[in-house]
Amino acid sequence: MRVLVIEDEARLLRNLAKALREEDYAVDTATDGEEGLSKAENSDYDAIVLDIMLPRLDGWQVLERLRKTKKTPVVFLTARDTLADRVRGLDGGGDDYLVKPFDLSELFARLRAVIRRSAAQPTAEIRLGDVSIDTRARTVAVGGRPVSLTAKEYAILEYLAQQHGKVVSRTELYGHVFGEREDTSNLLDVHVFNIRRKLACDLITTRRGHGYCIEK
């Protein structure tokens, strides 16, 4: 999953990005509202973590402009803790609102929840024939038998599963799995090959010249 964090406090931004990457998210960052809005409008994210008190454009303005073109889930992460602020954030198009100081496990849970809702996935389990994916535990099983995937292999499989029935371009898949900081070269092909080998089934279909698809 690919997440954009828009936060102007350097230490918090660095720590958030590190923690999210340790949870196997691909993370992009922005330190002001204008930069954040530009990235949010020009790239596809599974979710955005958005501060309110930002330079250049504040979080309210970022969300208002973003909602004119995109429905990307937005979780406000802010020190503004009044009821009026919470109501404004949610009524303005935010999907969740978390007040600083916060617990990382709660932020992760809220992100998982808004991503599931956005993908019209009511539960943490995705079932595709004999393959089951637990997005909360980040585990995969085939016919009830656990399958061990690396973090990147799991991220590729989960994203394709959430988009099942749709062809996902290589560019889109790169972005959601690797983010803007990594040199991926031909790693995507290697990971897809390993997923197929470990699952021992043809769940992922290659569409030549277009990308990948889970059709079941």
Side-chain angles (χ1 to χ4, degrees):
M1 297 292 103
R2 188 180 187 185
V3 174
L4 172 64
V5 181
I6 309 175
E7 167 63 58
D8 67 322
E9 203 285 297
R11 183 176 180 181
L12 176 57
L13 179 62
R14 184 170 58 253
N15 290 340
L16 264 178
K18 180 176 182 292
L20 285 163
R21 290 183 180 117
E22 288 174 350
E23 288 291 305
D24 301 324
Y25 288 94
V27 183
D28 298 346
T29 61
T31 57
D32 64 68
E34 283 191 2
E35 180 189 15
L37 179 62
S38 176
K39 288 187 175 182
E41 289 179 326
N42 291 293
S43 297
D44 292 323
Y45 294 98
D46 296 287
I48 297 171
V49 178
L50 177 63
D51 190 13
I52 292 176
M53 295 178 285
L54 295 166
R56 305 181 78 176
L57 290 176
D58 65 29
W60 307 127
Q61 294 170 305
V62 171
L63 181 61
E64 180 183 6
R65 297 188 188 187
L66 179 65
R67 283 293 177 257
K68 294 178 181 178
T69 58
K70 289 202 170 185
K71 298 180 180 179
T72 310
V74 171
V75 176
F76 278 110
L77 183 63
T78 175
R80 299 185 63 136
D81 61 354
T82 69
L83 177 60
D85 287 326
R86 293 172 187 266
V87 171
R88 181 180 179 183
L90 297 172
D91 281 349
D95 297 88
D96 206 341
Y97 196 105
L98 186 59
V99 174
K100 302 172 183 175
F102 62 98
D103 188 272
L104 278 172
S105 62
E106 182 177 7
L107 174 61
F108 296 155
R110 289 172 183 258
L111 280 173
R112 289 192 297 268
V114 299
I115 291 171
R116 285 199 304 271
R117 290 199 297 268
S118 176
Q121 180 194 331
T123 70
E125 184 181 34
I126 304 174
R127 296 195 66 89
L128 300 164
D130 289 336
V131 178
S132 62
I133 303 167
D134 186 329
T135 61
R136 184 182 295 113
R138 296 179 181 270
T139 58
V140 178
V142 178
R145 174 182 58 85
V147 175
S148 178
L149 299 180
T150 67
K152 293 303 185 187
E153 290 165 2
Y154 174 84
I156 290 168
L157 180 62
E158 180 188 71
Y159 187 69
L160 289 174
Q162 290 183 329
Q163 305 293 320
H164 73 273
K166 302 176 183 178
V167 177
V168 178
S169 71
R170 291 175 58 86
T171 300
E172 180 181 349
L173 195 53
Y174 270 132
H176 279 81
V177 175
F178 297 101
E180 64 184 0
R181 296 180 56 188
E182 300 188 44
D183 176 16
T184 57
S185 60
N186 292 320
L187 283 177
L188 184 57
D189 299 317
V190 174
H191 288 315
V192 170
F193 174 82
N194 286 335
I195 294 168
R196 288 171 172 152
R197 177 176 55 82
K198 291 179 179 181
L199 296 182
C201 65
D202 58 353
L203 185 67
I204 301 175
T205 300
T206 301
R207 297 287 184 86
R208 299 293 180 188
H210 297 284
Y212 299 98
C213 179
I214 291 179
E215 298 176 342
K216 296 184 179 181

